[in-house]
Amino acid sequence: IGQSILTTHGIIDGDRAQAEQKLRSVGADYLVLCMPDKMAAGAEAIEFKGDSLQTLLLNGGSVPYLVKVQLPAGAKTIRAWKVLPKS
């Protein structure tokens, strides 16, 4: 596994309060998450547990520093968010 993937998992699965600072410190412009198989297959309701950024986003939540990117209809296995400039 590449270092960038390990770093990303540390951000999305770690302390949500530190996620913004960590995303900005690595110079991220976008955050892309792979969808669990059941969601990619069209399952409507999957509840993710925990307090991570990944859990929040995959449960449909949002944070003020990310805006969801509209992907083509066929892109069922990923979700993407643009990191907004720091205000």
Side-chain angles (χ1 to χ4, degrees), residues 3 21-25 58 70 86-87:
Q3 185 59 44
Q21 183 274 326
K22 288 181 178 181
L23 279 170
R24 294 190 188 286
S25 74
L58 293 181
Q70 186 66 35
K86 193 167 184 168
S87 54

Side-chain angles (χ1 to χ4, degrees), residues 38-39 42-48 58-59:
K38 290 180 182 178
M39 285 184 84
E44 292 291 324
I46 296 176
E47 184 177 348
F48 298 91
L58 293 181
N59 280 333

